[in-house]
Amino acid sequence: MHTATPPLSDRLKPRMSAWLLLALAPVAMADGSPWYLRGGLSWVTSSHEHLTDEHCANHSPPALFGCSLGSDGRPIGAYGRLDDALGWDLGVGYRLSPIWRLELGYERVADRSFSGDANFLSVPGAQPVTGDLDTGLLLAQVVADIDVGWERVVPWVAVGAGWARHEMDRMTYGFPGLAPGAVTVTADGERDQFAWRAAVGVGLRVDPRFTVDLSWSYTDLGWMGTEAGAATIVRARGTRTLEIDGTEAAIRNQAVRLGMRYQF
């Protein structure tokens, strides 16, 4: 990694969030408690992302892409998408009434690969771009159960907001048209971002304690990106380093989730 190691407190935040949720579980042990535990697995997909400069006109350090149009007529950048991935979540909930619930949960989606193409000017052939992303999300949400008169099936809607941390690995820009092995490798980066979500789902009551949830959600996770720092530039004539500014891309996820609730 090319950036400085983040403070220990920052690196422990996602792990502390998950352990906090586990620690809250014993308060819900009384019979008939409004508390419940929830967990699940999600299949996460994203729309296409455009990786661009934080400040395209910056000169100190210089922007990687700049403010010009690229070889295809679009602003210079990296155009691609994050791979679909499996995520997991763990949380606690509290039933306020027969309709309203509050939930606090931690989610993680790891090892998502970004793959795309850049459009730098005067570069022949393909310009593949690759990198990896890990995202942790601490989210509070309000859930409304909808009484439609079915005994075991209960539709619900939810909205929520929280805090996301994106950990982006170094991005590799390949230029095989220039020379075999010609690449530019940027610094990595971490971003703390405000996030919000809207979701719809349905709960199937298996018995008085267990409910199976199936849902769809849209989540705005803010911006992922790399930090300003040293980029390694490998060309036929040799290798050098150059300080460049950071890059960023908006990240918006859709997910289908299968989960379980256990009512104490």
Side-chain angles (χ1 to χ4, degrees):
M1 298 292 185
H2 293 271
T3 57
T5 302
L8 180 61
S9 60
D10 285 348
R11 289 183 282 123
L12 289 178
K13 281 180 182 177
R15 297 176 179 84
M16 291 172 63
S17 300
W19 284 112
L20 175 62
L21 295 174
L22 287 174
L24 288 174
V27 305
M29 295 304 291
D31 186 44
S33 168
W35 291 88
Y36 59 89
L37 288 179
R38 58 182 286 269
L41 296 174
S42 300
W43 188 249
V44 182
T45 184
S46 297
S47 57
H48 285 76
E49 287 83 24
H50 173 205
L51 195 65
T52 186
D53 297 306
E54 287 189 80
H55 312 285
C56 71
N58 210 12
H59 296 287
S60 182
L64 175 63
F65 302 116
C67 303
S68 302
L69 298 181
S71 57
D72 57 2
R74 298 181 293 180
I76 297 178
Y79 294 83
R81 66 183 302 270
L82 291 163
D83 289 347
D84 297 345
L86 186 68
W88 60 267
D89 67 88
L90 176 67
V92 294
Y94 186 87
R95 180 168 290 282
L96 298 169
S97 72
I99 295 176
W100 297 102
R101 296 184 274 127
L102 294 177
E103 294 184 346
L104 175 65
Y106 177 76
E107 305 174 16
R108 189 156 185 87
V109 184
D111 297 325
R112 296 187 75 185
S113 296
F114 175 87
S115 56
D117 294 280
N119 61 343
F120 289 99
L121 293 168
S122 304
V123 177
Q127 303 176 37
V129 182
T130 58
D132 293 326
L133 176 73
D134 294 346
T135 296
L137 174 63
L138 185 64
L139 188 82
Q141 64 180 6
V142 179
V143 187
D145 289 323
I146 302 171
D147 185 1
V148 293
W150 300 334
E151 182 178 357
R152 291 184 177 271
V153 179
V154 181
W156 54 263
V157 295
V159 292
W163 165 81
R165 162 156 287 197
H166 304 299
E167 300 171 352
M168 198 168 192
D169 203 354
R170 296 175 295 177
M171 300 295 292
T172 300
Y173 296 77
F175 306 104
L178 295 178
V183 296
T184 295
V185 182
T186 69
D188 57 6
E190 293 184 351
R191 297 284 180 93
D192 292 320
Q193 297 284 293
F194 172 78
W196 65 269
R197 168 176 294 168
V200 295
V202 61
L204 173 62
R205 290 173 178 163
V206 179
D207 63 31
R209 292 189 182 272
F210 285 100
T211 300
V212 175
D213 278 317
L214 179 65
S215 64
W216 170 89
S217 64
Y218 173 87
T219 309
D220 184 328
L221 291 161
W223 296 78
M224 61 183 183
T226 61
E227 304 292 346
T232 301
I233 301 171
V234 181
R235 299 292 187 268
R237 59 183 176 273
T239 300
R240 64 190 179 101
T241 59
L242 175 68
E243 292 291 320
I244 63 167
D245 202 9
T247 63
E248 62 184 9
I251 176 171
R252 312 288 186 260
N253 284 349
Q254 296 186 57
V256 175
R257 175 181 177 273
L258 180 63
M260 175 75 74
R261 277 181 274 149
Y262 177 75
Q263 186 80 41
F264 288 99

